[in-house]
Amino acid sequence: MVNHRNYHRDQSDGGGHNIDRSSTLHNPSLNLDVDGDFQIEALRDIKRGDQLHNSYNQCHDITCDDIDTSYITSSIFIDYGFVEDYPRRFAFHTDNDEHDPYLGIVVEIVSDKEMNFILPSSPSELNEHQVNWLQDELEHTFQKKNKTTERIERHKYQHSNEDNSDDDKQQKQHEAYMLLEYYNALTEAIELTVKSTTTTTTTTTTT
């Protein structure tokens, strides 16, 4: 498996993934079979010993079409068990149909201080229901985060004097740490999104 990475402006090596399926670069209309044979082509010069990266959701492959707003950070975490580096994308389904991202909000978290709206294109397009939903979801995420932290601390206390060579115990502890990392990323995303709506509301009011 090739590691995942998307473009970020602060990456010193040019950023983003450096390989993709070659046939779709030359013929984007080609409908590749996901399980079929394919070739990999470099997107830029790669030095000997450099790490190869592919994008799991913002690739050029035809099989990646329209997944950049639906196969996001949470999807990668569920399927592969890690929280991707910046930029991260989150979808908040503020209405009933969780399979339709256009009924909700999709944001891209660029850093711990910066985010962009993808759907809708501006926080000013959010309605009151969506803003209230985000605030409630932030509280729920805080609760999940705190419970996971308590679970980790409890596990440390219970097994501090025990033999920690048990693979099952170590696996559960690792899963708890990864879950906490995900909740930290999710909390950050919601906080930045809520902050952007608050800033927009304040600006509109003073104007």
Side-chain angles (χ1 to χ4, degrees):
M1 178 185 292
V2 179
N3 289 340
H4 160 79
R5 188 169 72 166
N6 285 323
Y7 170 77
H8 192 274
R9 65 188 179 212
D10 294 334
Q11 291 163 352
S12 58
D13 59 358
H17 57 294
N18 50 19
I19 60 172
D20 211 319
R21 291 189 183 189
S22 60
S23 53
T24 51
L25 296 175
H26 301 300
N27 185 5
S29 63
L30 182 63
N31 187 12
L32 284 176
D33 180 357
V34 178
D35 298 320
D37 295 332
F38 57 88
Q39 291 182 323
I40 292 296
E41 182 171 318
L43 300 179
R44 60 177 181 271
D45 291 340
I46 302 174
K47 298 178 182 178
R48 181 187 296 271
D50 280 356
Q51 173 70 53
L52 297 180
H53 291 101
N54 193 11
S55 173
Y56 296 175
N57 58 356
Q58 296 183 40
C59 41
H60 303 291
D61 194 324
I62 194 67
T63 58
C64 295
D65 189 34
D66 293 331
I67 69 170
D68 58 339
T69 57
S70 57
Y71 193 76
I72 49 179
T73 298
S74 54
S75 309
I76 291 174
F77 177 71
I78 291 171
D79 287 348
Y80 298 100
F82 69 89
V83 178
E84 63 178 335
D85 293 333
Y86 298 116
R88 301 171 181 145
R89 289 189 177 183
F90 290 90
F92 306 122
H93 302 286
T94 57
D95 286 281
N96 294 328
D97 188 356
E98 65 178 19
H99 300 293
D100 187 349
Y102 294 93
L103 291 177
I105 304 165
V106 180
V107 297
E108 181 169 85
I109 309 303
V110 181
S111 71
D112 61 349
K113 296 181 177 63
E114 183 181 352
M115 55 85 65
N116 298 315
F117 274 82
I118 298 176
L119 295 171
S121 59
S122 168
S124 62
E125 298 179 45
L126 300 182
N127 57 43
E128 184 179 357
H129 163 74
Q130 291 174 311
V131 174
N132 291 336
W133 186 95
L134 284 167
Q135 293 171 340
D136 290 342
E137 187 66 14
L138 180 59
E139 179 61 31
H140 294 155
T141 305
F142 268 127
Q143 293 174 5
K144 294 176 183 177
K145 178 179 170 181
N146 291 337
K147 287 182 179 179
T148 304
T149 303
E150 292 173 3
R151 172 185 165 189
I152 291 174
E153 293 303 319
R154 185 167 58 251
H155 186 278
K156 283 182 180 178
Y157 176 78
Q158 290 174 346
H159 302 290
S160 59
N161 297 319
E162 298 179 11
D163 181 8
N164 291 322
S165 61
D166 189 311
D167 290 341
D168 184 57
K169 292 177 183 177
Q170 291 185 6
Q171 178 66 25
K172 289 180 178 179
Q173 185 75 338
H174 173 73
E175 290 174 355
Y177 276 113
M178 293 309 302
L179 190 59
L180 181 59
E181 184 178 347
Y182 172 74
Y183 283 140
N184 283 333
L186 179 59
T187 301
E188 178 183 86
I190 303 176
E191 284 181 324
L192 288 172
T193 307
V194 169
K195 183 179 179 180
S196 71
T197 63
T198 305
T199 303
T200 301
T201 303
T202 304
T203 303
T204 304
T205 303
T206 54
T207 302

